[in-house]
Amino acid sequence: MLSNVVSSQWAHSRYGGVVPELAARAHVRLIGPVTLAALDTAGIALNQVTCIAATHAPGLLGALLTGLPFAKALSFSLDIPFVGVNHTEGHLFAIRLEYPDLKPPFLAAVLSGGHTELLVVNDWCSYEILGSTLDDACGEAFDKVAKLLGLSYPGGAALEELARQGNASIRFPVPLADSAEHADSFDFSFSGLKTAVLYYLRDHPALDSPARADVAASFQEAAITAVVNRIIRAVNELGLRTVGISGGVAANSTLKNRLAHAGKEHGFETLVPRPEYCTDNAAMIAAAGVERLERFGPSPLSLPALARSPLSPRTQDC
Ligand code: KG4
Ligand code: ZN
């Protein structure tokens, strides 16, 4: 990897979430300078590039409709292949960026602000989805609870920091775990947990700082328990011994520690990319693009941008 330039959009913290129109405008403004910065850092010229990969789905359409046509136009003008990548698949390739020798099959969890997916990577570009969230994504729940606690957006990392100063002394419900109906399911649900925190804060309006830290620690404990328990059940049922996690929430140290601990007890190894590969980045999209180009060739320039698109289990579809 020669360079991995990420341009974060801090404008959203003022509004407590991503404002799609602002995101789209910032993309238009930044895509050229970020591309030049990536080439500059890599020390290569545009005419040395041999393929361009870009996310085509899922995501905010305004953002996709900036990056996708930009990549297509550039590939057309340079006469080099273009490859469209599913964003969730990109997060899986972040694991391979960190562990180049990793061989499927393995269990993977993609835990980000937009997705919560538990899946089996049977082969690169061939996946079996075991479960996903029925409502909020895991990172989204962290962000919403962070907002309730007065932390700025995106609040996942700040919530973890606050939780470090508290004790998980409040028993918030572990999503779906208490329900017999979902005993065999690998799906997730986080909105009930978020609502439980909302009600707790409403019922205890004058919390001092240590008590707020306890709320953060207790929420984090419940959310992480939901994830870790499903991973333990999946490795035991499927007999897989390697677990890769990715997406912004995979940067959470408590989650990493809990998985390392569970791995010792249940006999699996957890692979976690470094934080800058866990959160959204272009290197993971390039890594997926290289694999797709080798296996399936270039994507057509007619490939559409799609706001929603689950990771396809069929290998050719991206
Ligand atoms: O993968 P990502 O950068 O973007 C999406 O594809 O959504 O994930 C961002 C999400 C946000 O919800 C953010 O709050 C969460 O990851 N996040 C964390 C931590 N760092 C980032 N959540 C919990 N603990 C963290 N340390
Ligand atoms: Zn992402």
Side-chain angles (χ1 to χ4, degrees):
M1 195 195 61
L2 300 179
S3 68
N4 185 21
V5 177
V6 174
S7 173
S8 297
Q9 298 181 11
W10 302 115
H12 303 305
S13 59
R14 273 177 64 189
Y15 302 97
V18 171
V19 182
E21 183 59 28
L22 289 183
R25 289 181 200 195
H27 271 67
V28 172
R29 215 173 49 244
L30 292 166
I31 187 125
V34 165
T35 306
L36 292 177
L39 290 167
D40 199 37
T41 312
I44 60 166
L46 198 50
N47 63 10
Q48 289 176 275
V49 175
T50 55
C51 172
I52 301 186
T55 301
H56 83 100
L60 284 176
L61 268 185
L64 296 176
L65 287 173
T66 307
L68 185 63
F70 183 88
K72 287 177 180 174
L74 206 51
S75 79
F76 182 74
S77 63
L78 294 169
D79 197 19
I80 56 175
F82 153 77
V83 181
V85 171
N86 180 296
H87 182 77
T88 309
E89 183 172 42
H91 276 299
L92 293 173
F93 275 83
I95 306 169
R96 194 166 84 170
L97 271 181
E98 190 67 72
Y99 303 94
D101 299 331
L102 172 62
K103 298 265 180 297
F106 62 93
L107 185 76
V110 178
L111 307 162
S112 74
H115 332 268
T116 307
E117 242 117 29
L118 189 63
L119 46 101
V120 179
V121 177
N122 286 316
D123 188 7
W124 292 111
C125 306
S126 171
Y127 314 105
E128 184 187 333
I129 311 274
L130 299 177
S132 30
T133 185
L134 302 177
D135 38 59
D136 292 347
C138 189
E140 189 180 0
F142 270 83
D143 292 337
K144 286 180 174 171
V145 169
K147 191 175 176 185
L148 293 174
L149 289 166
L151 304 170
S152 63
Y153 178 86
L159 188 142
E160 179 184 14
E161 193 56 47
L162 180 62
R164 217 167 268 146
Q165 298 153 37
N167 296 310
S169 50
I170 309 157
R171 197 194 171 280
F172 291 126
V174 175
L176 290 189
D178 303 327
S179 130
E181 189 195 336
H182 292 103
D184 300 330
S185 160
F186 287 111
D187 285 334
F188 299 85
S189 165
F190 292 100
S191 76
L193 173 59
K194 170 202 67 195
T195 308
V197 176
L198 175 72
Y199 288 163
Y200 185 89
L201 291 173
R202 197 188 56 187
D203 295 343
H204 302 81
L207 290 184
D208 58 13
S209 293
R212 283 174 63 252
D214 288 348
V215 172
S218 305
F219 158 78
Q220 180 173 261
E221 174 65 24
I224 285 177
T225 302
V227 172
V228 172
N229 284 353
R230 270 167 195 67
I231 289 177
I232 293 173
R233 192 153 56 79
V235 289
N236 286 338
E237 278 182 25
L238 302 169
L240 294 167
R241 292 288 155 244
T242 305
V243 178
I245 62 170
S246 185
V249 185
N252 185 291
S253 322
T254 313
L255 173 64
K256 288 188 264 190
N257 291 340
R258 287 278 301 277
L259 280 172
H261 196 260
K264 282 197 188 102
E265 199 180 323
H266 295 271
F268 65 87
E269 183 192 14
T270 305
L271 306 179
V272 194
R274 71 194 69 173
E276 60 265 39
Y277 291 167
C278 284
T279 48
D280 282 354
N281 66 85
M284 68 186 196
I285 303 301
V290 168
E291 186 70 31
R292 296 203 78 88
L293 182 70
E294 280 171 6
R295 285 179 184 243
F296 313 120
S299 305
L301 290 181
S302 57
L303 187 74
L306 300 172
R308 293 182 163 274
S309 169
L311 195 56
S312 171
R314 298 212 313 273
T315 40
Q316 264 92 336
D317 304 340
C318 57

